[in-house]
Amino acid sequence: MIPQVFKEVIDLGDGREISIETGKLAKQAHGSVVVKSGKCMLLCTVVSNYKQADVDFLPLTVDYREKFAAAGRYPGGFFKREARPSDGEVLTMRLVDRVLRPLFPKDYHSETQVMIQLMSHDEDVMPDAMAGLAASAAIQLSDFPFECAISEARVGRINGEFIINPTRAQLEESDIDMMIGASADSVMMVEGEMDEISEEEMTEAIKFAHEAIKVQCAAQVKLAEAFGKKEVREYEPEREDADLAQKIHDLAYDKVYAVAKSASSKHERGAAFGEIKEEIKATFSEEELEDIGDLISKYYSKAEKAAVRDLTLNEGLRLDGRKTDEIRPIWCEVDYLPSTHGSAIFTRGETQALATVTLGTSRDAIQIDMPSYEGEERFYLHYNFPPFSTGEARPIRGTSRREVGHGNLAQRALKGMVPEDCPYTVRVVSEILESNGSSSMATVCSGTMALMDAGVQLTKPVSGIAMGLISDAESGKYAVLSDILGDEDHLGDMDFKVTGTADGITACQMDIKVKGLSYEILVNALKQAREGRLHILGKITDTISAPNADVKEHSPKMITRRIPNEFIGALIGPGGKVIQELQKETNTTIVINEDPVTEEGIVEILGVGNEGIDAVQAKIDSLLFKPEVGSVYEVKVIKMLDFGAVVEYTDAPGNEVLLHVSELAWERTENVSDVVNMGDVFDVKYFGVDPRTRKEKVSRKAILPKPEGYVARPPRDDKRSGGRDNRGRDNRGRDNRRDDRKPRNDKKED
């Protein structure tokens, strides 16, 4: 018996729908929904332990996985089983986590899991755009303490018209690809890439997505009411002591304010704050510290945050002494590493990124193999954040989700400026060597310079800046902070990163922590970000004003050729023999791909020296060489035969043809060596395919003057007695000879 199913349908306004249903699957989870659009189906389950974990944070895990069976495919690899998440899945997890996490109570510390699975795939539906909706809908059906329904939506723009949740095909035409996460009241998260749009256009895209999200939030609430809204579970809250909080505030506030105003460095400031905290703890007995030490630490952090925020709002000053719109000192350097194809250092204050560029062939592209998408990336960026960059020692456990996310943001910022006709696969790696505020934006800046240093012909240089916001709802005061520090990232109400050229925004990432942020403040913040971005861009172009005209001497040079499909086999050779020997002889890398549209062969030739590349091109020219009837060509003798000489076209080495002895000279030639010898170079005329011999015919004598008195031999009359027809089997007695033969004994004696 199928249980009762509850369902709500969301109309996207263009004939498409999203349905949310519950009651059929995964009923032992604390909340579960199936979200469907077209043939795409996501199953989301949520579970949270009833016992609080012994930690001071929310142990929330958001897991998003795409099942290969959903697309009727097998997983790649030996084991044929889904294993570690792909970068695409990790990025979706981060998008959902960033919207959900702030809506749980700060004192809720139960182990919580949100698991989203793609169970059925539709080529016309991008499932990541519905992951946030699925997660929130499942939580609404649970008894979790959760503030309100949220959802996420992707927005694109084609020919000036905004689209909600466009297809992947539509995104190819779109100049905006943004994911927005929001509740019915407030925008909370923005991330995406754009084609140099303005701040106003970006704000309009956010507004458009928010209107669609409001409808999705209402559908979740309606579904939960129909299903039967559960009472919010009770949990053990953190201890609170208002008197202690006030005492700590009074002891700490003025001292913290003074340190914050002293414009000290990160480590000096950290040490000074640590001393204040220790002084406060010294006013308590050991027994009190044993009992309320965690509360003392919590209330001190609150007092520190309040003092730093007030300093900025009241005096317009920041922890390092800067004004709100001031950028830290910047120094840059390119061509720092002698052996890389391109390198650059970007240092801004206490943040430093060293970027390298490596150039390769299409073989070096990243192959993306996900159930929802198959393709490749010819430009990609990897970001590494080692613990020494913050002066810490901690375990290294592989690439973190944060590293994947920051690298993706920088990649999206830069990829639109790499020209489509760039022949290389380009890999950028950013090594963060120091960090105190937005190493991802330092990655964008160092990556831009490294690409230009490598000779990649960027359309325009790109810079990036991290911004912050501190606001006070009661007074109405707010301050937008340019180029935020690591500490300001934590204490602010919004942190956002914006990248772009001098002409517009190319990528952004926002996390908005304050409710009801006005679009007016958002636009002002984006405009201040533009001023800072252009300042940083000036520092970049002062260091390297334009891409180097060519790649470095030790970098590989790339030539791309197109050849007709029928010549691909000849270039590869039997078992790859020709291409392998050619690569070995020329010290090059040769990659052959087939154009799926024209079916031509696309030949990539990669080599450090031009000589090797030229040799490969000569081989290709030789394969493609087609002499024209009536034209004269220079040839070289490469083989002597009794009946002529084998010659090769000097313009197409390896392209050979027989020069018959009768075509060497007007005079009768007894020996080929009487006229030509090995290695001789001379001209011949090409006559095409001889209809009698069905072989290509060339002639040396045809371009020589006839000797005086030369009389051409009369053409043979095949009808004459004794002619070729009369030299048949009857005249040769072939039939008679056959009759005279002794019978052959085909059988062997036993």
Side-chain angles (χ1 to χ4, degrees):
M1 176 179 168
I2 298 176
Q4 183 179 2
V5 175
F6 299 86
K7 183 176 180 179
E8 284 295 324
V9 177
I10 301 165
D11 185 357
L12 294 180
D14 56 0
R16 294 176 299 149
E17 295 179 341
I18 300 176
S19 68
I20 319 170
E21 68 174 42
T22 190
K24 184 181 289 187
L25 304 182
K27 293 190 295 298
Q28 292 194 48
H30 295 162
S32 70
V33 295
V34 172
V35 174
K36 182 179 180 182
S37 181
K39 296 179 182 178
C40 178
M41 296 176 68
L42 291 174
L43 169 65
C44 179
T45 59
V46 295
V47 175
S48 186
N49 292 340
Y50 284 93
K51 184 179 179 181
Q52 289 272 65
D54 188 21
V55 294
D56 61 353
F57 61 91
L58 172 63
L60 169 66
T61 301
V62 176
D63 192 78
Y64 171 81
R65 301 298 177 101
E66 297 188 353
K67 306 297 183 180
F68 276 84
R73 294 177 49 215
Y74 283 88
F78 180 77
F79 293 104
K80 301 301 176 190
R81 183 184 182 117
E82 290 87 353
R84 65 177 297 275
S86 66
D87 282 0
E89 289 168 320
V90 167
L91 294 170
T92 301
M93 296 175 198
R94 281 176 51 84
L95 288 174
V96 176
D97 186 297
R98 284 162 48 199
V99 185
L100 295 183
R101 190 175 293 272
L103 297 179
F104 285 91
K106 294 186 182 300
D107 60 351
Y108 186 68
H109 301 154
S110 294
E111 183 83 27
T112 304
Q113 287 185 334
V114 178
M115 301 187 68
I116 311 164
Q117 305 176 57
L118 175 67
M119 309 302 288
S120 178
H121 176 53
D122 187 328
E123 287 291 335
D124 293 328
V125 179
M126 297 183 70
D128 59 339
M130 302 190 299
L133 168 62
S136 176
I139 292 174
Q140 294 305 302
L141 301 174
S142 74
D143 60 351
F144 299 175
F146 192 75
E147 188 172 321
C148 60
I150 61 94
S151 191
E152 294 178 346
R154 173 178 273 112
V155 60
R157 186 176 68 173
I158 301 176
N159 299 325
E161 296 292 327
F162 290 119
I163 306 171
I164 287 294
N165 293 355
T167 66
R168 195 175 296 277
Q170 287 175 321
L171 272 185
E172 295 294 324
E173 305 175 39
S174 175
D175 62 351
I176 294 176
D177 177 8
M178 289 172 57
M179 192 78 82
I180 289 87
S183 66
D185 299 324
S186 302
V187 174
M188 305 164 67
M189 185 277 300
V190 178
E191 182 160 332
E193 60 187 85
M194 310 87 179
D195 186 11
E196 297 183 277
I197 67 172
S198 69
E199 288 74 14
E200 290 79 7
E201 289 174 306
M202 179 174 161
T203 305
E204 288 303 313
I206 296 172
K207 288 181 180 179
F208 181 78
H210 193 196
E211 291 304 313
I213 287 172
K214 290 177 182 178
V215 176
Q216 296 177 15
C217 290
Q220 296 175 52
V221 172
K222 193 174 179 182
L223 178 68
E225 290 173 349
F227 179 73
K229 182 68 175 175
K230 299 177 183 177
E231 288 190 17
V232 177
R233 69 172 63 174
E234 293 184 1
Y235 65 95
E236 185 180 349
E238 291 180 349
R239 284 192 302 171
E240 295 292 345
D241 187 330
D243 293 336
L244 179 62
Q246 186 61 49
K247 179 180 178 180
I248 300 297
H249 182 275
D250 294 341
L251 289 171
Y253 184 88
D254 290 339
K255 294 179 180 179
V256 169
Y257 197 98
V259 171
K261 195 174 179 178
S262 66
S264 53
S265 68
K266 174 183 176 181
H267 292 294
E268 290 173 347
R269 184 169 60 249
F273 286 157
E275 288 178 8
I276 296 171
K277 185 176 179 180
E278 290 302 317
E279 288 175 7
I280 293 172
K281 290 171 69 176
T283 63
F284 294 89
S285 67
E286 290 187 10
E287 291 77 10
E288 287 175 318
L289 291 175
E290 183 76 23
D291 183 39
I292 59 173
D294 56 338
L295 287 178
I296 293 171
S297 296
K298 181 172 79 170
Y299 294 144
Y300 169 78
S301 296
K302 285 186 175 181
E304 182 182 297
K305 180 176 180 179
V308 174
R309 286 171 61 91
D310 287 349
L311 173 68
T312 302
L313 287 174
N314 296 336
E315 302 188 41
L317 295 177
R318 300 162 65 180
L319 287 169
D320 56 359
R322 286 181 291 148
K323 297 178 182 178
T324 56
D325 60 351
E326 192 174 346
I327 311 298
R328 287 173 288 177
I330 294 171
W331 67 266
C332 312
E333 183 178 342
V334 296
D335 198 20
Y336 178 73
L337 300 174
S339 297
T340 61
H341 300 163
S343 64
I345 303 172
F346 178 84
T347 306
R348 183 194 59 238
E350 296 172 298
T351 296
Q352 184 177 75
L354 170 62
T356 59
V357 170
T358 307
L359 307 175
T361 68
S362 58
R363 282 182 188 164
D364 301 305
I366 287 183
Q367 300 301 316
I368 301 173
D369 185 23
M370 296 175 63
S372 62
Y373 178 64
E374 292 179 88
E376 66 175 23
E377 288 180 340
R378 293 286 298 269
F379 173 81
Y380 50 95
L381 187 150
H382 292 151
Y383 165 101
N384 297 317
F385 190 83
F388 67 77
S389 64
T390 54
E392 299 173 282
R394 62 174 184 268
I396 300 172
R397 306 191 188 282
T399 306
S400 68
R401 290 186 179 186
R402 179 181 181 278
E403 288 173 307
V404 172
H406 279 35
N408 179 69
L409 175 61
Q411 177 177 319
R412 299 176 87 174
L414 293 170
K415 71 177 184 180
M417 295 301 111
V418 177
E420 291 185 5
D421 60 355
C422 176
Y424 296 99
T425 292
V426 182
R427 181 188 185 221
V428 181
V429 179
S430 173
E431 305 289 349
I432 304 305
L433 307 182
E434 297 179 42
S435 180
N436 183 18
S438 193
S439 52
S440 62
M441 296 298 94
T443 293
V444 172
C445 299
S446 61
T448 291
M449 292 188 293
L451 287 164
M452 293 197 289
D453 179 54
V456 177
Q457 301 302 304
L458 288 185
T459 308
K460 301 171 189 174
V462 180
S463 65
I465 188 169
M467 306 290 292
L469 174 71
I470 296 175
S471 62
D472 182 9
E474 291 184 7
S475 66
K477 293 181 181 179
Y478 74 91
V480 178
L481 310 181
S482 298
D483 179 23
I484 58 174
L485 301 170
D487 292 339
E488 292 171 334
D489 191 356
H490 301 297
L491 61 86
D493 297 321
M494 175 175 71
D495 63 86
F496 62 103
K497 305 171 180 71
V498 187
T499 73
T501 67
D503 297 321
I505 300 171
T506 60
C508 75
Q509 182 182 93
M510 293 187 186
D511 288 299
I512 303 169
K513 307 165 192 175
V514 62
K515 295 180 184 178
L517 178 70
S518 72
Y519 284 105
E520 179 186 353
I521 293 177
L522 181 59
V523 170
N524 290 340
L526 288 170
K527 287 183 176 179
Q528 185 170 318
R530 183 176 188 274
E531 294 171 3
R533 201 177 72 236
L534 293 178
H535 170 80
I536 295 170
L537 193 61
K539 298 292 184 181
I540 290 173
T541 53
D542 286 346
T543 304
I544 179 167
S545 59
N548 290 331
D550 202 356
V551 298
K552 297 180 185 296
E553 186 177 345
H554 62 271
S555 297
K557 285 73 179 173
M558 171 81 86
I559 297 293
T560 302
R561 292 282 302 270
R562 285 180 173 264
I563 63 175
N565 183 278
E566 61 266 23
F567 291 98
I568 295 176
L571 181 56
I572 295 173
K577 182 178 180 181
V578 173
I579 195 170
Q580 289 172 9
E581 289 182 354
L582 189 59
Q583 290 181 109
K584 188 175 180 181
E585 291 170 2
T586 60
N587 195 27
T588 59
T589 299
I590 306 171
V591 179
I592 304 175
N593 298 308
E594 188 173 337
D595 189 314
V597 179
T598 65
E599 296 186 350
E600 291 178 297
I602 304 172
V603 185
E604 298 174 4
I605 312 163
L606 190 81
V608 174
N610 288 324
E611 292 181 4
I613 294 176
D614 292 343
V616 176
Q617 292 215 78
K619 176 66 176 178
I620 295 174
D621 290 337
S622 175
L623 286 173
L624 302 179
F625 179 75
K626 291 183 178 180
E628 296 182 5
V629 174
S631 297
V632 175
Y633 298 95
E634 185 180 78
V635 296
K636 179 180 179 181
V637 178
I638 60 172
K639 189 183 294 184
M640 301 286 287
L641 302 172
D642 291 341
F643 51 86
V646 177
V647 297
E648 72 173 5
Y649 299 96
T650 56
D651 288 340
N655 219 311
E656 305 170 0
V657 66
L658 174 66
L659 175 59
H660 194 267
V661 64
S662 62
E663 299 296 333
L664 284 171
W666 291 105
E667 300 86 354
R668 180 178 178 82
T669 304
E670 296 293 341
N671 298 308
V672 175
S673 58
D674 292 342
V675 181
V676 296
N677 291 293
M678 281 288 293
D680 284 357
V681 177
F682 48 84
D683 290 341
V684 296
K685 188 173 184 179
Y686 181 74
F687 287 93
V689 177
D690 189 325
R692 186 170 62 86
T693 63
R694 296 183 181 178
K695 293 182 179 180
E696 290 183 300
K697 177 181 177 181
V698 294
S699 174
R700 176 177 177 269
K701 73 178 184 182
I703 57 176
L704 296 175
K706 292 182 182 180
E708 280 189 39
Y710 174 80
V711 178
R713 295 172 62 185
R716 178 183 292 118
D717 183 3
D718 289 339
K719 295 181 180 180
R720 290 179 301 156
S721 174
R724 180 175 295 275
D725 290 342
N726 293 327
R727 293 201 307 268
R729 60 172 58 94
D730 290 339
N731 286 345
R732 291 196 302 269
R734 184 182 296 276
D735 292 342
N736 293 333
R737 286 201 308 273
R738 184 174 294 158
D739 292 340
D740 292 341
R741 287 177 182 171
K742 295 179 180 180
R744 185 176 63 184
N745 185 5
D746 291 335
K747 295 183 180 180
K748 295 183 179 179
E749 296 181 5
D750 295 332

